[in-house]
Amino acid sequence: MHRVVIIGSGPGGHTAAIYAARANLKPLMIEGQVRGGVAGGQLMITTEVENFPGFPEGVQGPELMELFKKQSARFGTEIISADVERVDFSQHPFKLYTDEQEIVAQTVIIATGARARWLDLPNEQKLINHGVSACATCDGYFFRGLDVAVVGGGDTAMEEANYLAGLCKSVTVIHRRSELRASKIMAERALKNPKIKFAWDSAVADVHDAEAGKVTGITLENLKTGKKSQLAVEGLFIAIGHTPNTDIFEGKLALDENGYIKTKPGTTQTSVDGVFAAGDVQDHVYRQAVTAAGTGCMAAIEAERWLAAHE
Ligand code: NDP
């Protein structure tokens, strides 16, 4: 029987582990292998991280996750590499099943994160981190004074376009329809911004130039006329939404309409008493390593208090 089991090994999971381990709770972390990407989460596919406090010179994403892992291990977190295939939260203690083991837990902290949706363009994956990005807050700074494009018509796309307009020479928003999905206020802000142009009824057919190892432009297709055109940009931000890694929690925990785990406002408590959620799996708004770490800390403190009250 484990007192705290943490599912997921990004900044949220590791911060929860550091706090739980230092509270002498001997946490078990299941770091994930396949589902939702690699162990370590989204920072493992990021290059330079310049906005994580404490690293004035910046740090590589994988290096930062290695440091998180070392710090969790230093205080005695047990880490196993496996995917949780199934959970049983219908009775206490909770049960988690990997392909090889049944794990019994008094409290569970879910930090399985989310993954960005991509367009699946022929050259997109080759240019991720080389001009193609899914996070303007993370990467916008590298495109100061340059021309960039944002794909999507939702709140994220508008927010990213507005943010980038403050840094870049020009921003072209490419949307597949002629009407935005974004909330009125966010849409109006973008529509009024003189630095933001819109390519309506349009899709990106491909991004160039994989051979040069950097983005030099995109091929646009007008979905009404079928006409193709070229747009010279140095950055392409894909903002077509994220998918939270919550398939195994469907029907077991309350999820919102987009699949994110619902938590009680101001806490990490889920709809099941003793199950907590931290990081991007419960946050579609901020989605930063530092906010994931913050909620990971909250989840560990709440799990500790839960154990103190129930043991
Ligand atoms: P959304 O699902 O709201 O929007 C996704 C956008 O991408 C839509 O415009 C959609 O087009 C477009 N899209 C989806 N798939 C493709 C594709 N394959 N090719 C081209 N375009 C595509 O996601 P968001 O990330 O914008 O928002 C998620 C949630 O988070 C929302 O509830 C949002 O309100 C919220 N949010 C709130 C913020 C805030 O309040 N500050 C900030 C950011 C997000 P179409 O419209 O045609 O479906």
Side-chain angles (χ1 to χ4, degrees), residues 15 47 49 55 74 76 111 177 215 230 239 247 249 265 301:
T15 306
T47 48
V49 180
F55 295 87
R74 177 179 160 204
R177 296 186 292 137
V215 171
Q230 303 295 324
D247 340 358
F249 307 115
I301 291 174

Side-chain angles (χ1 to χ4, degrees), residues 207-223:
V207 51
H208 319 286
D209 176 356
E211 261 170 40
K214 62 178 184 179
V215 171
T216 56
I218 52 181
T219 303
L220 283 179
E221 182 179 354
N222 184 303
L223 297 170

Side-chain angles (χ1 to χ4, degrees), residues 117-119 151-157 159 175-177 179-181 186 239-242 257-258 284-285 287:
R117 288 191 208 130
W118 299 102
L119 291 169
V151 186
D155 280 332
T156 302
E159 197 170 62
H175 185 36
R176 62 185 177 183
R177 296 186 292 137
E179 200 183 317
L180 294 171
R181 173 179 298 281
M186 305 274 283
I240 60 169
H242 285 74
E257 64 281 8
N258 296 314
H284 64 221
V285 177
R287 294 198 303 254

